[in-house]
Amino acid sequence: MEFFDVWKAYDGIQALQGLCLEVRRGEIFGLIGPNGAGKTTALKIIVGLLKMDKGFVRVNGYDITEEPYEYKRFIGYVPEAISLPEYLTVEEFLIYSGMIRGVEKERIRGCLEDYLRIFSLEDRRRSLILTLSRGMRQKTAIASALIHDPDLLILDEPFIGIDPEGQHRIKELFVERVKEGRAVLVSTHMLDTAERLCDRISVIHRGKNVASGDMEGLRRLSERGEGATLEEVFLKLTEEASKPYEGEEPSIKRGSRFPWLFGRRGT
Ligand code: ATP
């Protein structure tokens, strides 16, 4: 997935300012940034829920503006605020998700059993979604995003509300998928999880790239020592990005002491 020089403004708010990301097959890619940095906006553009003002996004070779439908079979999406049909049972919803994605019945059955087991939802398969706990709903949403076996799974804060065992299983699932050549793009504020889980990470701030790379690369760019945690690296990079240049008033347009990193294509 290539996300190149993407700009997006809401009424008077410039949410993305030339953001660039690249997610490769076989990797778990983390998107991190302070509140309002533009993470959700970027993900919504990739999945077609928002239109960008400028830039281009390509998924599996499809330009998403030119061919807005074809690429969707390659992606699965779990939004930050999930909204599921409450009067379907878990099983009905997952079958429905598979059917609207054109998955064969046999395959849906197989996946359904797998995901109910992985997410410990077997005994809730006939429960109405209305009656599920928050974490169970989140697990159901993740299973639904996986039912058509997408090449690129996109998740916005997926771990919130999920118990430790569930989180562990989901991480295992991500690792398995990328080993098979698929990709996972995850936006999160859980920096310790991102540090352990992600192969590469992009730090974004005010709609721009501050830095992209693996942990070693981010440590180098932030000039933190060898053993620095992602939290330390993140705080340094975002603090630097907030500083104005000497002799200038703070400005959202400039706003970085790492200008050579801005506008660069994901590494
Ligand atoms: P968070 O970590 O808080 O979830 P985020 O990085 O996901 O933040 P976005 O939700 O993409 O950030 O928001 C980026 C900017 O766009 C923010 O300034 C936000 O206020 C603004 N914004 C987002 N959605 C809308 C909207 N529907 N209308 C107007 N402004 C919006």
Side-chain angles (χ1 to χ4, degrees):
M1 192 281 304
E2 295 156 273
F3 190 93
F4 184 69
D5 193 22
V6 176
W7 293 72
K8 172 71 189 171
Y10 299 98
D11 300 328
I13 296 174
Q14 194 64 50
L16 298 184
Q17 309 190 69
L19 182 68
C20 297
L21 303 167
E22 186 193 8
V23 181
R24 303 169 188 156
R25 284 183 175 275
E27 73 177 2
I28 303 177
F29 189 94
L31 191 57
I32 62 174
N35 291 133
K39 303 178 294 297
T40 298
T41 301
L43 300 189
K44 282 185 174 171
I45 287 173
I46 300 169
V47 302
L49 286 174
L50 279 178
K51 281 205 182 328
M52 63 193 123
D53 299 333
K54 205 180 129 207
F56 81 79
V57 178
R58 214 166 15 217
V59 175
N60 263 13
Y62 290 91
D63 179 323
I64 71 162
T65 310
E66 302 279 314
E67 299 175 280
Y69 303 111
E70 289 80 353
Y71 80 98
K72 290 199 177 141
R73 68 194 143 106
F74 300 114
I75 58 172
Y77 174 53
V78 182
E80 188 176 21
I82 54 168
S83 165
L84 306 179
E86 301 204 315
Y87 287 96
L88 290 185
T89 65
V90 173
E91 194 172 53
E92 285 168 346
F93 174 59
L94 293 179
I95 292 172
Y96 166 78
S97 302
M99 284 172 69
I100 58 168
R101 295 286 198 169
V103 184
E104 287 170 18
K105 269 193 182 153
E106 278 298 296
R107 267 193 70 87
I108 296 178
R109 277 279 156 211
C111 287
L112 177 68
E113 295 310 320
D114 286 348
Y115 291 128
L116 289 177
R117 183 177 38 77
I118 290 169
F119 293 129
S120 309
L121 287 170
E122 283 155 308
D123 59 337
R124 302 304 297 264
R125 64 196 300 150
R126 298 205 171 85
S127 299
L128 290 179
I129 288 171
L130 178 73
T131 67
L132 299 183
S133 72
R134 184 197 153 111
M136 290 173 188
R137 286 176 191 225
Q138 183 74 2
K139 289 171 176 173
T140 305
I142 296 174
S144 148
L146 282 166
I147 203 98
H148 58 300
D149 196 18
D151 284 347
L152 174 62
L153 180 64
I154 299 168
L155 310 102
D156 203 345
E157 285 294 355
F159 301 111
I160 305 271
I162 294 189
D163 59 40
E165 191 192 337
Q167 291 191 26
H168 179 70
R169 297 240 173 123
I170 291 166
K171 290 177 205 164
E172 276 185 339
L173 200 64
F174 290 176
V175 170
E176 238 170 71
R177 294 185 71 74
V178 300
K179 270 193 195 146
E180 292 165 358
R182 298 184 190 81
V184 176
L185 167 58
V186 55
S187 162
T188 185
H189 288 299
M190 295 172 64
L191 299 188
D192 47 349
T193 298
E195 180 174 347
R196 284 196 301 272
L197 186 66
C198 298
D199 299 296
R200 290 190 310 129
I201 291 171
S202 202
V203 181
I204 71 169
H205 185 53
R206 294 177 179 166
K208 297 177 185 175
N209 258 102
V210 174
S212 294
D214 58 14
M215 267 311 291
E216 205 182 306
L218 293 180
R219 283 189 190 109
R220 216 174 27 247
L221 289 168
S222 67
E223 296 167 359
R224 301 295 302 220
E226 263 180 35
T229 62
L230 181 58
E231 184 178 70
E232 289 165 339
V233 165
F234 174 87
L235 291 174
K236 175 83 184 301
L237 288 169
T238 51
E239 186 194 327
E240 291 290 332
S242 302
K243 285 183 187 167
Y245 290 118
E246 266 169 44
E248 282 187 8
E249 288 301 311
S251 155
I252 194 166
K253 285 191 198 108
R254 306 294 294 274
S256 173
R257 301 183 95 194
F258 295 101
W260 59 90
L261 295 171
F262 278 2
R264 238 178 50 171
R265 208 158 165 153
T267 51

